[in-house]
Amino acid sequence: MTDTGYSQPMASLGVGSIVGESFSILFGHFIKIIIIGFVPTLIGFLISGALTGFNVALGLEVQEFSGPGSVVASILSLLINMVVYSITTALLVQLAYDAKLSRPIQLGRYIGPAISVIVPLAVITIVVSILVSIGVVLFIVPGLWVYAVFAVIAPVIVIERAGFGAMGRSRFLTKEYRWPIVGALILGIILSVIISFLAVFVVGLIASIGSIGLIIGVVLFAGMSTLGAGYISILIALIYARLREIKEGVNVDQIASVFD
């Protein structure tokens, strides 16, 4: 057989299918997703509120830096939020795979793997967040591109136990598929932004009635924040599964077997 010089067409990521399935999982397991992500998110808000003030933590006021103490409190609050994000993402990535395979959602089975990857996931999340922020400052498109390059670091760390090698692994998996990933992530970002605006608006109204309103507002804000984080985590988990299928011929059943 002679070489015709033509390369095999690149397989499609299937953004439409991934987005549709991610919404199906979100609404199909809505209560469980809220429950799984709610506790760590609420704890994070309570600690952040104690450090910087609850109005600041909820986005109702801007942080005022009146001295070294307020700067330290703000940095600690940011680090705590990153750790909370890491725990929530690690839990929800596992939920996404069980949901995709129609397996029972079991929180107890997710806790161990989630806790074991907190350090690398939190550290790498901070590094990637800085890189994305620099890209956004330069121009929005570079920021989105960087986000796409490192989009699957969470499932790589949680499922493959790649640790601090997750950035290189994510670069490999997302190569040649970054623009489709950008398209999928934009929808998730828009959804999260809408939820955040609604949350701040509603919480602002409730918090204005006094201390009880502020407490209710914190709980409500944590719940709504979990919804946005839940959708993005599911979306990223499905993108990761599809990339493994395309590039390595590994299907979701083989990926999910790590939790068995």
Side-chain angles (χ1 to χ4, degrees):
M1 181 181 294
T2 59
D3 185 359
T4 62
Y6 293 102
S7 59
Q8 187 174 2
M10 188 174 66
S12 171
L13 183 64
V15 171
S17 177
I18 290 173
V19 169
E21 188 173 9
S22 62
F23 274 114
S24 178
I25 292 175
L26 177 67
F27 293 120
H29 301 275
F30 184 83
I31 300 300
K32 293 175 182 177
I33 289 170
I34 294 296
I35 292 173
I36 285 176
F38 178 76
V39 173
T41 303
L42 179 60
I43 292 173
F45 275 124
L46 291 175
I47 297 175
S48 293
L51 288 170
T52 63
F54 286 102
N55 285 338
V56 173
L58 294 172
L60 302 176
E61 294 181 3
V62 178
Q63 173 73 51
E64 294 183 2
F65 299 103
S66 55
S70 60
V71 174
V72 171
S74 181
I75 293 174
L76 288 175
S77 176
L78 177 62
L79 292 176
I80 288 167
N81 286 331
M82 288 297 181
V83 171
V84 168
Y85 171 81
S86 300
I87 294 173
T88 304
T89 301
L91 291 169
L92 291 170
V93 163
Q94 297 173 78
L95 179 147
Y97 280 103
D98 278 346
K100 184 174 178 63
L101 294 172
S102 300
R103 301 197 306 193
I105 306 300
Q106 300 175 345
L107 175 59
R109 200 156 59 88
Y110 308 149
I111 294 176
I115 292 176
S116 68
V117 299
I118 288 176
V119 174
L121 185 52
V123 172
I124 293 177
T125 297
I126 292 171
V127 172
V128 171
S129 296
I130 293 172
L131 294 175
V132 171
S133 297
I134 293 172
V136 170
V137 169
L138 294 175
F139 195 63
I140 293 177
V141 172
L144 291 172
W145 178 263
V146 173
Y147 191 10
V149 170
F150 301 114
V152 297
I153 56 171
V156 164
I157 291 174
V158 175
I159 295 170
E160 299 183 30
R161 302 293 191 270
F164 292 101
M167 293 180 71
R169 176 66 171 154
S170 183
R171 285 201 306 271
F172 165 74
L173 288 174
T174 60
K175 186 177 180 181
E176 299 177 332
Y177 288 92
R178 288 162 189 165
W179 285 122
I181 291 172
V182 166
L185 291 176
I186 285 176
L187 178 61
I189 293 170
I190 291 173
L191 179 64
S192 294
V193 169
I194 291 173
I195 291 174
S196 295
F197 274 119
L198 289 174
V200 171
F201 176 74
V202 173
V203 170
L205 293 177
I206 296 175
S208 65
I209 67 177
S211 300
I212 298 298
L214 185 60
I215 294 172
I216 296 173
V218 169
V219 174
L220 180 61
F221 193 83
M224 295 183 73
S225 297
T226 299
L227 180 60
Y231 177 75
I232 291 179
S233 296
I234 293 167
L235 184 67
I236 287 173
L238 297 181
I239 289 173
Y240 166 77
R242 177 58 179 154
L243 290 173
R244 290 288 305 274
E245 182 182 12
I246 292 172
K247 294 201 166 187
E248 300 171 342
V250 178
N251 61 41
V252 72
D253 300 85
Q254 294 170 303
I255 296 172
S257 66
V258 71
F259 304 127
D260 294 330

